[in-house]
Amino acid sequence: MRVKSFMQKNVVTIKQDQSIVAASMILMKNNITGAPVVDNKNNLVGVISEKDIFKKIYPNYQEYYLLGADKKNDLDIKPQIKEAENIKVKEIMTKDVITAKVTDSSIKIAAIMTIKKINRVIILDNGSLAGIVSRKDIYPQSFKSALENK
């Protein structure tokens, strides 16, 4: 099955100059975990995920470990969120975007996701953003196709 037949065509994008707080709000509003990042001309320049934002806002293991025991339960991320209002998406996004073509098969996309340990693949048509496929899109399609061809 070709990815063109089941990819999400109405892709939510995030501008590279938006703050990570604005990006976070877009992800939450659209109930998605990541999105392509575009420049002012709508060219694909990266991808941002909840994981990228999460790593920027919450303490890493070392920071958490160094906190005193009495402070760990009272940890507040308000200062990090306030700081995140000044951090642009382009500063934390993944720039090495893994893409596929509209003519690629669902098996190829699933293999890419497994090998690269990613949750979504950006789909291009002649170099332009055409869609996006996430695990939740590909999983039912693969099983449906396999069961129909049984």
Side-chain angles (χ1 to χ4, degrees), residues 33 63 75 81 88 143:
T33 60
E63 292 165 339
L75 191 61
I81 291 176
K88 303 295 183 200
F143 273 80

Side-chain angles (χ1 to χ4, degrees), residues 57 76-85:
I57 292 174
D76 185 4
I77 63 162
K78 287 178 190 170
Q80 287 86 343
I81 291 176
K82 183 73 174 156
E83 179 185 324
E85 292 174 349

Side-chain angles (χ1 to χ4, degrees), residues 8-49 53 89-90 93 97 120-124 127-133:
Q8 297 173 37
K9 294 176 181 130
N10 296 323
V11 181
V12 173
T13 60
I14 295 176
K15 298 283 187 186
Q16 67 178 350
D17 290 324
Q18 287 182 291
S19 74
I20 61 174
V21 170
S24 208
M25 298 305 288
I26 291 168
L27 295 178
M28 286 187 289
K29 177 184 174 195
N30 290 282
N31 197 29
I32 56 177
T33 60
V37 178
V38 295
D39 63 15
N40 291 333
K41 295 180 182 177
N42 278 336
N43 296 313
L44 180 66
V45 294
V47 66
I48 187 133
S49 70
I53 297 168
V89 167
K90 65 184 171 187
M93 70 183 186
V97 182
R120 69 200 55 75
V121 174
I122 310 299
I123 309 300
L124 303 177
S128 296
L129 180 62
I132 191 168
V133 174

